Amino acid sequence: MKHFSNARSYYSWAVVGWLVLVFAAVSTHCATYVRTNPGFQVDSEDGLLSVPELVSKYGYDVEEHPLTTEDGYQLMVHRVQSPAHKNGTVVLLMHGLLCSSADWLMIGPGNALAYLLADQGYDVWLGNARGNRYSRNHDSISPSDNSFWKFSWHEIGRFDIPATIDYILEHTGHRRLHYVGHSQGTTGFFVMASQRPEYNEKVIQMNALAPVAFMGNMKSPLLRFMTRFLKTLDILLSMFGVGEFMPNKPILHEIAKHICPPDSKINLCVHLLFILSGHNPEQMDPAILPILFGHTPAGSATKQLVHYAQEVLSNRFEMYDYGKLKNLFVYGTATPPDYDLSKVTTPVVMYYGLNDFLAAPEDVQRLAERLPNLRKSIQIDDELFTHLDFLIASDVRRLLYDPILEGIAASEVVQD
């Protein structure tokens, strides 16, 4: 046991060391950053608040709804409504990898999608996938036990999203809802709709922001480098029980405040984000960084990251690859089965960016060709729009959220 404990400790310090090296590497390539936009009406304190505290701060009604999945994971769903407009059409927002329900709130009232929807009278529900800071419990397994973390985004799509949809519909009395997902929030939806096709009928329309299924053209140089160590990650996961990847820690908020001050002309955090997700300096307001790093990373399983790395290398949208022998036992075939996208019959509207390092336009196009009920595939009208811009770009309301609101309103004629 001591050996495994030491291995975990070594791995944790290795991750810290890796991040330090990344920051050092980034700093050698930093260009001067000049803030050119007026900024959001938020403050750094927002990074220290929980989602209920954040919503209440800005005068909206908020509720916490716990639910339990078929396999025993206890999830927390947040409900946001405007005091002046309630009991409208239901919209479920689902976050990406390493994120949480805070994604839809960080840039504040008048800009963040959750608030904009609530202002229009929608009944807004914010999901939280297993393993993040709001969904770290199980009926019988502790998060300190490695077995808690034996899931990828497959289980999020197979269990978490269906359980969340069922709970919301039962609680509200509606028959169907609108779905908006970002990144992993789209991956999980496509898993659900292909594996449990009965849920297609429970969704009026799926809005896919930076959709991720195929990843063969993923352009992030940092993540491309990490895929070289896929075998190492698999070994660490299986031998040393390194189940959780980058949990949410308050210290990250403090680090961000000191090494990424909003008024700095050379900002390491900005350039790290550019290397990860794409470069678009005119859409980056440094004032949002302490808030972003206060809520992200929110925690995830290492297996989620490994599964995405497998997608990059295989260039397929497939189930988790356990290796030939275990694949034979689990799937009955030496290679993992593909997800059958022909079963995704929900109307889908996709939004993508040309400069998205993680959801490359070529991969989005490949996905579009396989969806039987794709209504639109919309390119964001900014050639430099990146993966994170879908959440925090200075002009995200004009470029993306207003069109989403218009699209949801236009589809109201098909709701119950």
Side-chain angles (χ1 to χ4, degrees):
M1 291 298 294
K2 185 176 180 181
H3 171 73
F4 292 130
S5 177
N6 289 340
R8 290 184 184 181
S9 177
Y10 174 81
Y11 175 76
S12 298
W13 281 109
V15 170
V16 173
W18 176 77
L19 290 172
V20 169
L21 287 173
V22 168
F23 278 119
V26 170
S27 67
T28 64
H29 297 285
C30 280
T32 299
Y33 176 83
V34 180
R35 181 174 171 180
T36 59
N37 54 65
F40 299 115
Q41 301 305 307
V42 294
D43 56 64
S44 62
E45 176 203 33
D46 291 356
L48 299 173
L49 302 179
S50 67
V51 161
E53 292 170 337
L54 190 60
V55 175
S56 296
K57 171 182 175 178
Y58 289 107
Y60 290 78
D61 291 337
V62 60
E63 298 172 2
E64 295 183 283
H65 290 263
L67 62 93
T68 304
T69 66
E70 293 176 30
D71 57 346
Y73 282 83
Q74 298 173 15
L75 314 180
M76 182 63 73
V77 187
H78 295 120
R79 187 185 197 183
V80 178
Q81 292 179 302
S82 167
H85 301 90
K86 291 190 176 182
N87 300 320
T89 301
V90 177
V91 183
L92 170 60
L93 309 182
M94 198 67 196
H95 63 80
L97 180 68
L98 289 167
C99 297
S100 74
S101 53
D103 279 17
W104 310 104
L105 303 162
M106 290 186 294
I107 57 178
N111 291 295
L113 184 57
Y115 295 127
L116 294 174
L117 285 163
D119 291 340
Q120 295 286 327
Y122 291 101
D123 188 0
V124 184
W125 294 73
L126 312 178
N128 283 292
R130 62 183 65 192
N132 82 6
R133 64 183 292 189
Y134 299 107
S135 301
R136 288 177 59 86
N137 290 299
H138 188 277
D139 285 346
S140 60
I141 309 171
S142 167
S144 61
D145 189 329
N146 183 52
S147 61
F148 179 94
W149 301 99
K150 289 186 176 180
F151 62 83
S152 79
W153 38 261
H154 173 87
E155 286 74 20
I156 292 171
R158 183 71 178 79
F159 298 110
D160 294 8
I161 299 176
T164 301
I165 290 174
D166 285 342
Y167 177 91
I168 294 170
L169 295 181
E170 181 178 358
H171 190 85
T172 62
H174 285 266
R175 186 170 64 89
R176 295 192 292 172
L177 52 73
H178 283 278
Y179 184 98
V180 181
H182 175 246
S183 191
Q184 183 186 260
T186 70
T187 313
F189 181 89
F190 295 132
V191 170
M192 176 190 72
S194 61
Q195 292 282 292
R196 305 182 71 171
E198 65 273 18
Y199 280 88
N200 284 287
E201 298 301 318
K202 299 185 180 186
V203 179
I204 301 168
Q205 181 173 284
M206 190 279 200
N207 290 274
L209 317 186
V212 177
F214 301 105
M215 296 190 71
N217 293 287
M218 191 271 293
K219 295 178 174 62
S220 172
L222 191 55
L223 295 183
R224 277 282 179 189
F225 177 76
M226 288 180 66
T227 60
R228 298 181 185 179
F229 300 96
L230 177 58
K231 296 295 184 183
T232 303
L233 285 172
D234 270 329
I235 292 170
L236 287 167
L237 188 61
S238 60
M239 293 184 62
F240 302 128
V242 183
E244 184 174 14
F245 186 82
M246 295 189 76
N248 180 269
K249 298 292 184 183
I251 192 173
L252 290 178
H253 179 84
E254 295 301 317
I255 291 173
K257 282 201 305 185
H258 287 92
I259 69 172
C260 310
D263 57 350
S264 174
K265 292 184 177 180
I266 298 179
N267 195 308
L268 300 185
C269 292
V270 169
H271 292 278
L272 176 60
L273 293 177
F274 288 164
I275 288 176
L276 282 169
S277 63
H279 183 264
N280 194 6
E282 290 190 2
Q283 290 290 351
M284 172 64 74
D285 182 354
I288 205 66
L289 293 175
I291 303 168
L292 174 64
F293 285 104
H295 293 284
T296 310
S300 70
T302 302
K303 192 174 177 181
Q304 289 169 252
L305 191 71
V306 172
H307 199 169
Y308 273 130
Q310 292 176 352
E311 302 285 293
V312 174
L313 296 179
S314 71
N315 198 22
R316 295 170 56 198
F317 185 40
E318 63 183 7
M319 298 181 193
Y320 193 86
D321 189 349
Y322 294 98
K324 290 183 179 179
L325 291 178
K326 191 171 181 179
N327 285 342
L328 286 169
F329 175 77
V330 174
Y331 307 122
T333 57
T335 58
D338 289 333
Y339 293 103
D340 187 356
L341 291 169
S342 69
K343 294 182 178 180
V344 183
T345 57
T346 298
V348 176
V349 177
M350 300 199 303
Y351 298 84
Y352 67 95
L354 291 178
N355 194 34
D356 188 333
F357 280 10
L358 303 179
E362 301 93 328
D363 292 329
V364 173
Q365 177 60 31
R366 186 179 174 196
L367 172 63
E369 293 168 354
R370 284 162 173 77
L371 293 174
N373 201 4
L374 178 69
R375 296 296 174 86
K376 294 180 181 179
S377 182
I378 300 171
Q379 176 189 312
I380 304 299
D381 188 20
D382 176 355
E383 292 186 355
L384 295 180
F385 208 78
T386 73
H387 201 71
L388 275 177
D389 284 342
F390 285 86
L391 301 175
I392 63 172
S394 297
D395 293 330
V396 69
R397 175 175 180 175
R398 176 181 63 84
L399 292 169
L400 177 64
Y401 294 164
D402 284 344
I404 290 174
L405 289 167
E406 292 172 6
I408 290 176
S411 65
E412 290 294 271
V413 292
V414 298
Q415 72 165 312
D416 57 344

